[in-house]
Amino acid sequence: MERSTIVRVHEGLHARPATRFVRLAKSFESEVEIVKAGKAVSAKSSVKLMLLGVKENQEVTVRANGADAVEAVEALIGYLENPRAGIEEEDADGEQKGINGEAVKPVTASPTLQETPSGGLRGVAASEGVAVGPAFAHFPPEIRPQARTLTPEEAEAEIVRFGHAVSAVQARMDKVLASEGLAAGDRGIVAALRDLAADDTLIGDAETMIRAGTDAVAAVIATAARLAAEFGSVEDPYLNARADDVQAVGRQICLALLGQDDVSLEDIPQGAILIAEDIGAWDLSRAPLKRIGGIVCGHGGATSHIAIIARSHGIPAVLGLGARVSDLRDAREIALDGNSGLVVADPAADVKAGYLQRIEEAVKERHALDVFKDVTPKRTDGTVIEVAANIGSLEEIEAAQAAGAMGVGLFRTELLFMRHMHLPSEDMQAETYAALARAFAPHPVIVRTLDIGGDKPVAGIEFPEEENPFLGWRGIRMCLDRPDIFKPQLKALLRAAVHGNVKVMLPMVSDLTEVRRAKTLIDECAGELTRDGVYFAHFHLGVMIETPAAVLIAPALAKEVSFFSIGTNDLTQYVMAADRLNPTVGALNDVANPAVMAAIEMTAKAGVEAGIMVGMCGEAAARPDLIPEFLRMGLTELSMSPASISRAKKRIVELSKE
Ligand code: PEP
Ligand code: MG
């Protein structure tokens, strides 16, 4: 049984999507292969799959042989055709995800190693920030193979010993994964390493060598080195970074075989700069990260796991120093600049003073904003301005709360639909929305109903080919045509409203009848829940104002709903007729253009006159230069990515004092 398809997984089967694909393949009994350009590899090995280098929009064939071959091919093809397959918020495999799921660019890498005028070393600027601290050299001894030739009987016993070592490493990683102290991002990284520790290629190739008479430690070292070299030789920074992962997992298996523990980072002093040839993501994720002041490494690049962990914990890091890192072994103090990739050992007094001053300025800036986190900003007349968070998944709640969000002004439900291979059930949605409502109660959480179109397909919804998907069958238009998708979401929202302050808003509205039809469906859903004896509560209904049509009929819309939320991202592109994704017309795509600002003002006026709340959830809501204008127009809610909340609150407080 085989089927071909074009891969739609965003950026192809690298890292996480590959390991997810493998896990799915392993859930079937059948032998499964994936074929690209005539080359077939087992779909049950992430290493092989990653090395096959399957990219987005390439044609592949999935081939299965066994009792469940039909199901396997169908499921794997479905996965390959889903653009968001394998994507998680804590995507930990090279591409760091921001709070809203967008890719966060790593600090620009400067891979050339050179002497600098100040006598320092320059490497890859992998995690921004400046640090000065005592040097903590971490150079665990290299594991040397024993180079013993085994008899066939010894080889069998060695295979068993090897199996136990692999299980011990897996168990240790499982224990770390089960621990509560592990940050979400680090969990993803350890999970990826855990997958490698169970990989058919790594384990299978080492076993083959042992069977041929090589002792287990030598077999693991050779296999890991060979695979690392393969990962290192492909032209893909994500895959290059996996070379370090394979070596790290190989080392753990060797240590287990030798009955040794790795050198621990437990004793690292507060604020110390960790200097290492290579520090496995595995070691780093278990290290007391709060005590680490900075990281300097011979290995690693901007997309390696060390870089991702460092960035997500705010630890400045310079990686990729190569063999020169051993020059730092005897240093007593290190100054490093994670923005430029510069490392200075035992800095002279004036150099150190310069670094310390930069640290002080950064701390001051952070603290200055921190004090606004818990502020409730008000207008001069005392009206509270709600500064809320835009989020797309429950995993982002903690960050939003920590940033001082006064509720959620936009919960994008698309992720929920895009991250699964099937449409999410009503129960699953109800649980998600209820958890969100509970987390922020009594603050409101504004959940936006599914806003999806042909540009971001979802498994389970057939979209027609469209010339202009942004002007096509999307958002509320699609939902009204598909009550089988829309009603379960509305029912889930009604059920969740029992648990907190749930508000619901409709995206892409351009006509009054769309709101009326949605209300009829909501009534129908409420009737069915009553009939079925299911608890629910009514929610406030609002609309997003993101089409020029909605702006022009805002006075009529205001009579139908309880609030407006201005979606400036789309409103700008539709008012200016400038595609928000097309950089060539980027200059036109400017929210501050008088035409867009006039549209915002018209909306605000209609809302204020009708006595309903007017908020904003487009990117512009976070702009300190525009916030005064928005408040003047009458907006009382601004929703943004959590990282911008303190700055926005500060701006509002300043305004009320002016
Ligand atoms: C907007 O259009 O401003 C908005 C918030 O929605 P999205 O960015 O999800 O289209
Ligand atoms: Mg929009």
Side-chain angles (χ1 to χ4, degrees):
M1 164 76 191
E2 66 175 51
R3 240 182 83 192
S4 298
T5 190
I6 303 292
V7 176
R8 298 293 181 207
V9 178
H10 183 54
E11 291 186 358
L13 290 186
H14 66 80
R16 198 96 200 116
T19 48
R20 280 297 172 90
F21 181 85
V22 168
R23 216 171 291 161
L24 184 61
K26 282 184 170 172
S27 68
F28 297 98
E29 266 174 37
S30 302
E31 292 286 310
V32 195
E33 282 185 332
I34 179 161
V35 191
K36 189 192 101 177
K39 186 170 178 202
V41 301
S42 164
K44 297 190 177 181
S45 160
S46 356
V47 168
K48 288 233 165 79
L49 190 65
M50 282 194 264
L51 286 170
L52 188 64
V54 177
K55 303 261 178 349
E56 189 177 358
N57 296 327
Q58 283 182 336
E59 183 173 352
V60 296
T61 302
V62 174
R63 191 187 283 162
N65 193 355
D68 50 8
V70 176
E71 291 85 349
V73 170
E74 195 171 306
L76 292 167
I77 290 282
Y79 184 93
L80 294 171
E81 290 175 351
N82 177 5
R84 302 281 300 175
I87 291 182
E88 292 183 343
E89 292 62 50
E90 310 88 40
D91 191 329
D93 297 277
E95 183 187 43
Q96 191 181 11
K97 294 292 170 188
I99 328 204
N100 272 320
E102 69 271 29
V104 171
K105 278 205 199 89
V107 182
T108 325
S110 48
T112 47
L113 175 67
Q114 59 196 39
E115 288 281 356
T116 67
S118 57
L121 295 173
R122 200 179 285 279
V124 175
S127 175
E128 65 183 11
V130 175
V132 177
F136 184 87
H138 173 73
F139 290 86
E142 204 182 314
I143 299 172
R144 302 214 176 266
Q146 295 146 331
R148 217 157 37 92
T149 307
L150 309 173
T151 63
E153 296 76 45
E154 282 175 329
E156 276 319 305
E158 190 75 340
I159 293 268
V160 174
R161 212 167 71 80
F162 171 66
H164 287 150
V166 170
S167 307
V169 170
Q170 292 175 352
R172 213 181 303 157
M173 290 181 171
D174 286 340
K175 199 166 151 209
V176 172
L177 285 171
S179 65
E180 283 184 2
L182 196 65
D186 301 350
R187 187 175 302 282
I189 290 174
V190 177
L193 294 173
R194 167 70 174 80
D195 282 337
L196 267 182
D199 189 80
D200 285 359
T201 304
L202 181 62
I203 307 305
D205 289 5
E207 277 179 358
T208 307
M209 283 187 76
I210 299 169
R211 280 214 171 82
T214 308
D215 73 83
V217 172
V220 173
I221 290 174
T223 307
R226 186 178 52 73
L227 292 174
E230 278 190 57
F231 276 118
S233 64
V234 268
E235 270 184 34
D236 179 333
Y238 293 124
L239 295 184
N240 299 156
R242 303 289 77 76
D244 291 344
D245 294 348
V246 174
Q247 295 281 30
V249 170
R251 180 179 173 85
Q252 291 305 313
I253 298 173
C254 288
L255 287 169
L257 280 163
L258 297 169
Q260 293 174 8
D261 278 333
D262 215 346
V263 180
S264 162
L265 289 168
E266 276 303 304
D267 302 328
I268 190 163
Q270 181 66 39
I273 312 295
L274 175 62
I275 305 163
E277 180 65 48
D278 184 16
I279 158 104
W282 163 242
D283 298 299
L284 197 54
S285 62
R286 290 175 306 147
L289 291 165
K290 284 202 170 67
R291 289 216 297 274
I292 299 180
I295 299 172
V296 178
C297 253
H299 280 252
T303 57
S304 63
H305 276 157
I306 320 171
I308 293 167
I309 296 181
R311 284 200 292 272
S312 68
H313 291 272
I315 304 172
V318 177
L319 308 179
L321 284 174
R324 300 291 294 275
V325 75
S326 47
D327 294 355
L328 306 173
R329 266 180 112 131
D330 299 324
R332 276 166 290 116
E333 192 175 47
I334 295 284
L336 76 97
D337 179 349
N339 307 315
S340 65
L342 188 63
V343 183
V344 185
D346 296 318
D350 58 331
V351 175
K352 182 173 169 180
Y355 274 78
L356 291 176
Q357 191 186 337
R358 287 177 58 197
I359 294 170
E360 203 181 305
E361 281 162 12
V363 169
K364 265 197 206 141
E365 197 189 330
R366 229 185 6 252
H367 282 171
L369 284 179
D370 268 2
V371 298
F372 291 95
K373 265 187 200 163
D374 299 321
V375 161
T376 301
K378 294 186 181 139
R379 270 193 328 215
T380 31
D381 66 358
T383 307
V384 170
I385 304 295
E386 282 175 60
V387 182
N390 289 355
I391 62 174
S393 68
L394 297 184
E395 288 87 341
E396 292 162 54
I397 290 175
E398 220 175 294
Q401 286 174 332
M406 300 157 72
V408 171
L410 167 62
F411 185 77
R412 291 182 165 100
T413 55
E414 294 77 63
L415 248 187
L416 206 59
F417 283 73
M418 290 194 288
R419 117 211 282 216
H420 296 283
M421 298 197 20
H422 304 287
L423 291 170
S425 66
E426 178 190 316
D427 284 350
M428 195 268 226
Q429 290 189 67
E431 249 171 62
T432 306
Y433 307 143
L436 181 72
R438 275 195 295 264
F440 285 94
H443 288 301
V445 294
I446 303 183
V447 181
R448 174 173 77 185
T449 59
L450 186 59
D451 183 15
I452 215 132
D455 60 321
K456 314 183 206 140
V458 161
I461 310 178
E462 280 283 314
F463 283 90
E465 273 293 315
E466 292 179 319
E467 287 272 324
N468 291 306
F470 270 122
L471 301 179
W473 194 58
R474 56 180 312 118
I476 189 68
R477 305 169 183 185
M478 186 278 289
C479 283
L480 287 170
D481 290 346
R482 290 291 303 268
D484 57 318
I485 296 167
F486 199 21
K487 281 178 68 178
Q489 183 170 45
L490 293 173
K491 282 189 185 175
L493 287 163
L494 287 163
R495 287 166 58 184
V498 175
H499 300 277
N501 187 354
V502 174
K503 298 183 180 188
V504 175
M505 69 182 170
L506 310 172
M508 276 297 293
V509 167
S510 50
D511 188 78
L512 262 185
T513 57
E514 290 165 338
V515 180
R516 293 190 180 136
R517 285 173 61 200
K519 283 165 115 179
T520 307
L521 275 180
I522 294 168
D523 288 344
E524 214 172 288
C525 290
E528 287 170 21
L529 290 174
T530 309
R531 181 199 62 201
D532 297 340
V534 180
Y535 285 114
F536 71 92
H538 288 283
F539 48 68
H540 286 291
L541 182 70
V543 284
M544 287 193 73
I545 303 289
E546 45 187 354
T547 66
V551 174
L552 295 170
I553 58 164
L557 280 172
K559 295 200 181 101
E560 298 281 339
V561 295
S562 331
F563 65 95
F564 286 161
S565 184
I566 305 173
T568 49
N569 308 340
D570 276 319
L571 185 60
T572 308
Q573 77 162 342
Y574 294 130
V575 166
M576 300 304 296
D579 185 344
R580 67 194 255 190
L581 302 179
N582 183 348
T584 321
V585 292
L588 279 175
N589 206 293
D590 174 17
V591 69
N593 185 289
V596 187
M597 292 301 277
I600 296 171
E601 183 145 29
M602 282 170 73
T603 306
K605 185 165 179 281
V608 170
E609 276 177 10
I612 64 169
M613 185 200 87
V614 183
M616 178 180 285
C617 61
E619 293 300 308
R623 278 185 53 170
D625 56 331
L626 298 180
I627 286 176
E629 273 298 282
F630 299 149
L631 297 199
R632 181 193 61 72
M633 291 175 188
L635 271 64
T636 55
E637 185 242 24
L638 298 170
S639 191
M640 60 199 66
S641 80
S644 304
I645 288 177
S646 294
R647 187 163 286 119
K649 283 188 174 180
K650 177 170 183 261
R651 189 72 193 100
I652 301 166
V653 169
E654 282 167 358
L655 272 177
S656 64
K657 288 189 184 148
E658 273 167 19

